[in-house]
Amino acid sequence: MRVSEDMEAEIQKLGKIKHVVRMCDAHGLDDPYYVKTFKPTYWSLDTFKPVPGGPLPHDKTLKEGDTPIPNMKIATIESGKECTLWIPDHDGTVIAVDIVQNTVELPIHASWFGKKMASWAGFMGECTCAPPMWKLLHGKEHKKVVETILSWDFENLFTAHGAARVGGAKALCEKHFEESLGKL
């Protein structure tokens, strides 16, 4: 996802961008920008369709034992459409796309209808999941991945949908997943 120029400058202060990791078949629209601009190693699953706007071949296939961060763990939806990552940094950090969301507040530009629909569909909440989306996209496949995620030790969550959760993320995920998994 493209970030603002100010945020991009802040990220660059941390050092050279060496890797871009595509984690979801339905995401990646901005990957060509980052690959062209920073010339990193581009990681992806072999099962992903090309990014919107044309093919962008990956440099490396993301798989256990061959990852951009040492000791990274990967949980992949059986259909190969999405993966979730775990890194050992900072008491364990889960990096997710759609399977775990942390939408505690919608953007100011969201419409009244959009806000109501997001709430109704279960997208709102800390470290949560939206069962209607699960059934629509992946069904029971999510359950296996959720069980894998919950087997990992982590305190933090960084997700494509919502703010990062620093501290206490696993406890919140356990609570919300326990409530949601029975609905599948």
Side-chain angles (χ1 to χ4, degrees), residues 72-87:
M72 177 184 278
K73 295 178 184 178
I74 305 166
T76 305
I77 297 289
E78 286 177 14
S79 64
K81 294 182 181 208
E82 179 178 345
C83 66
T84 301
L85 308 175
W86 174 90
I87 57 174

Side-chain angles (χ1 to χ4, degrees), residues 10 31 37 41 57 82 116 120 144 163 173 178:
E10 288 297 314
D31 290 0
T37 303
T41 300
E82 179 178 345
K116 290 293 182 194
W120 172 81
K144 292 177 187 175
C173 284
E178 185 177 309

Side-chain angles (χ1 to χ4, degrees), residues 16-88:
K16 182 180 183 327
I17 296 173
K18 298 178 184 178
H19 302 276
V20 170
V21 179
R22 184 172 181 206
M23 298 172 50
C24 185
D25 192 344
H27 293 268
L29 182 64
D30 295 311
D31 290 0
Y33 166 80
Y34 291 107
V35 170
K36 181 180 176 186
T37 303
F38 300 106
K39 300 182 180 22
T41 300
Y42 184 57
W43 299 76
S44 180
L45 296 179
D46 281 334
T47 53
F48 289 173
K49 63 185 175 195
V51 296
L56 182 66
H58 59 276
D59 300 310
K60 298 210 59 163
T61 299
L62 190 63
K63 59 188 173 202
E64 290 275 346
D66 188 13
T67 59
I69 297 174
N71 302 313
M72 177 184 278
K73 295 178 184 178
I74 305 166
T76 305
I77 297 289
E78 286 177 14
S79 64
K81 294 182 181 208
E82 179 178 345
C83 66
T84 301
L85 308 175
W86 174 90
I87 57 174

